[in-house]
Amino acid sequence: MVKLEIEHLSKRYWTERNATAVLALSDVSISVGDGEFMAIVGPSGCGKTSLLNIVAGLLPYEEGMVRIDGKRISGPGVDRAVVFQHSSLLPWRTIAGNVRYGMEMQRRFDEAIMRERTDYFIKLVGLTGFERHYPSELSGGMQQRVNLARALAADPAVLLMDEPFAALDAQTREFMQSELLKIWAKARKTVLFITHQINEAVYLADRVAVMSARPGRVKDVFRIPFDRPRTLHLKRDPRFLELEDAIWQLIEEESERLGVVLAPD
Ligand SMILES: Nc1ncnc2c1ncn2[C@@H]1O[C@H](COP(=O)(O)OP(=O)(O)OP(=O)(O)O)[C@@H](O)[C@H]1O
Ligand SMILES: [Mg+2]
């Protein structure tokens, strides 16, 4: 069953008092099945964040169609939660208060459940002991983990993630990847996950869509055949490395074509 359908979507940003337009997305079509983990990779500036923000209902679009459960997206909704590329915490709320926030918006959890889930997800992202701290007292990586906890605690049908682990150190990043897989295996949410790291996309996803440089189009979609549950050993499997390499080559072609550098982070 299809959960999210993106059909012939184009996005234009108008700049300089509407004198010129930047075409950020051009004729993008992707469909994501219910419970599917879809990753999107592509060079910097190819429109990944724009695409995610449109699906989140935060950015208007004029050309094409985006639907969830067959209904056109026309604004944000409780069926979706977003983990942004940069921390988006409320500075006046504590860490626990921020994690609660997503659930409060949903209005379907009672107080005891909210408390329990807040503790559970703070623990999951390794921040027990920081419940009463404020975001400004945490490092960027810690703040990003709070963002993740907030999105997961809200238990949305569709989880939208824009490079959620980019600010984390390599070790924490791998830990979070594995934790995300465990959570996803249990909850089977539909996930749209944007990343610069091909390795991360192949490790996590059922399919990886590769976008071309601006204006972003879907160049190819790779089906990731590895069994689940997956462990970090998979990253050393020759078939894994082969697939990673094939995706690299496709992106490299694009990057060379436009002289863009893909951050190898
Ligand atoms: N508000 C805006 N106004 C004008 N142009 C914009 C705006 N937001 C994004 N753009 C342009 O649209 C293009 C796509 O931007 P977007 O942030 O979606 O790319 P991205 O793939 O997420 O990049 P990165 O990998 O660096 O995060 C870029 O060329 C950017 O300059
Ligand atoms: Mg981006």
Side-chain angles (χ1 to χ4, degrees), residues 49 85 162-163:
T49 296
Q85 199 166 359
D162 190 359
E163 305 200 36

Side-chain angles (χ1 to χ4, degrees), residues 129-204:
F130 289 92
E131 290 85 350
R132 291 177 192 282
H133 285 61
Y134 286 88
S136 62
E137 299 170 312
L138 267 55
S139 73
M142 290 160 93
Q143 291 184 25
Q144 199 56 346
R145 285 187 267 159
V146 181
N147 278 320
L148 180 65
R150 177 175 61 187
L152 292 170
D155 192 33
V158 180
L159 194 53
L160 305 169
M161 307 179 89
D162 190 359
E163 305 200 36
F165 305 147
L168 305 180
D169 61 88
Q171 237 175 328
T172 312
R173 185 171 188 148
E174 291 213 315
F175 173 75
M176 292 302 297
Q177 289 170 356
S178 298
E179 287 306 314
L180 178 62
L181 281 188
K182 280 187 210 155
I183 294 163
W184 177 79
K186 272 191 226 150
R188 283 282 162 172
K189 312 226 164 285
T190 306
V191 182
L192 193 61
F193 186 101
I194 285 167
T195 177
H196 263 109
Q197 252 193 13
I198 295 162
N199 169 294
E200 181 170 77
V202 175
Y203 179 54
L204 296 175

Side-chain angles (χ1 to χ4, degrees), residues 103 108-118:
M103 288 184 277
R108 64 184 168 93
F109 298 96
D110 65 36
E111 182 56 36
I113 301 274
M114 278 203 281
R115 249 185 234 159
E116 194 181 305
R117 289 180 72 83
T118 300

Side-chain angles (χ1 to χ4, degrees), residues 229-247:
R230 296 175 186 171
T231 65
L232 288 167
H233 295 296
L234 177 63
K235 292 188 179 183
R236 292 195 291 273
D237 188 311
R239 294 175 308 150
F240 184 97
L241 298 170
E242 236 169 68
L243 198 49
E244 193 184 342
D245 200 49
I247 297 174

Side-chain angles (χ1 to χ4, degrees), residues 5-259:
E5 284 171 283
I6 301 166
E7 284 175 351
H8 305 295
L9 175 69
S10 296
K11 174 66 194 173
R12 232 172 275 274
Y13 287 106
W14 292 94
T15 52
E16 290 168 36
R17 297 197 189 115
N18 291 347
T20 52
V22 175
L23 185 60
L25 295 168
S26 173
D27 197 19
V28 170
S29 297
I30 297 174
S31 76
V32 187
D34 195 10
E36 188 179 24
F37 198 124
M38 171 70 95
I40 297 183
V41 295
S44 184
C46 75
K48 302 180 297 294
T49 296
S50 304
L51 177 67
L52 192 109
N53 284 342
I54 288 172
V55 177
L58 300 170
L59 188 64
Y61 62 99
E62 294 79 33
E63 296 165 57
M65 180 60 79
V66 184
R67 293 189 192 93
I68 285 186
D69 292 329
K71 284 194 282 284
R72 185 183 193 274
I73 288 175
S74 57
V78 292
D79 55 347
R80 285 153 283 154
V82 192
V83 181
F84 292 100
Q85 199 166 359
H86 304 289
S87 169
S88 58
L89 301 175
L90 303 171
W92 58 88
R93 280 194 171 214
T94 61
I95 299 317
N98 270 282
V99 173
R100 274 177 71 105
Y101 184 72
M103 288 184 277
E104 287 172 12
M105 293 295 101
Q106 300 258 355
R107 293 165 205 267
R108 64 184 168 93
F109 298 96
D110 65 36
E111 182 56 36
I113 301 274
M114 278 203 281
R115 249 185 234 159
E116 194 181 305
R117 289 180 72 83
T118 300
D119 288 348
Y120 175 82
F121 285 98
I122 286 179
K123 183 166 182 222
L124 183 68
V125 299
L127 289 175
T128 302
F130 289 92
E131 290 85 350
R132 291 177 192 282
H133 285 61
Y134 286 88
S136 62
E137 299 170 312
L138 267 55
S139 73
M142 290 160 93
Q143 291 184 25
Q144 199 56 346
R145 285 187 267 159
V146 181
N147 278 320
L148 180 65
R150 177 175 61 187
L152 292 170
D155 192 33
V158 180
L159 194 53
L160 305 169
M161 307 179 89
D162 190 359
E163 305 200 36
F165 305 147
L168 305 180
D169 61 88
Q171 237 175 328
T172 312
R173 185 171 188 148
E174 291 213 315
F175 173 75
M176 292 302 297
Q177 289 170 356
S178 298
E179 287 306 314
L180 178 62
L181 281 188
K182 280 187 210 155
I183 294 163
W184 177 79
K186 272 191 226 150
R188 283 282 162 172
K189 312 226 164 285
T190 306
V191 182
L192 193 61
F193 186 101
I194 285 167
T195 177
H196 263 109
Q197 252 193 13
I198 295 162
N199 169 294
E200 181 170 77
V202 175
Y203 179 54
L204 296 175
D206 294 317
R207 286 189 297 151
V208 177
V210 180
M211 284 178 67
S212 66
R214 207 186 79 207
R217 300 163 198 269
V218 178
K219 250 199 128 176
D220 210 345
V221 179
F222 290 77
R223 185 166 288 283
I224 311 300
F226 308 120
D227 293 342
R228 296 183 188 271
R230 296 175 186 171
T231 65
L232 288 167
H233 295 296
L234 177 63
K235 292 188 179 183
R236 292 195 291 273
D237 188 311
R239 294 175 308 150
F240 184 97
L241 298 170
E242 236 169 68
L243 198 49
E244 193 184 342
D245 200 49
I247 297 174
W248 246 117
Q249 279 179 20
L250 195 64
I251 296 188
E252 222 167 21
E253 269 172 38
E254 274 303 307
S255 305
E256 274 167 17
R257 189 168 71 78
L258 281 165

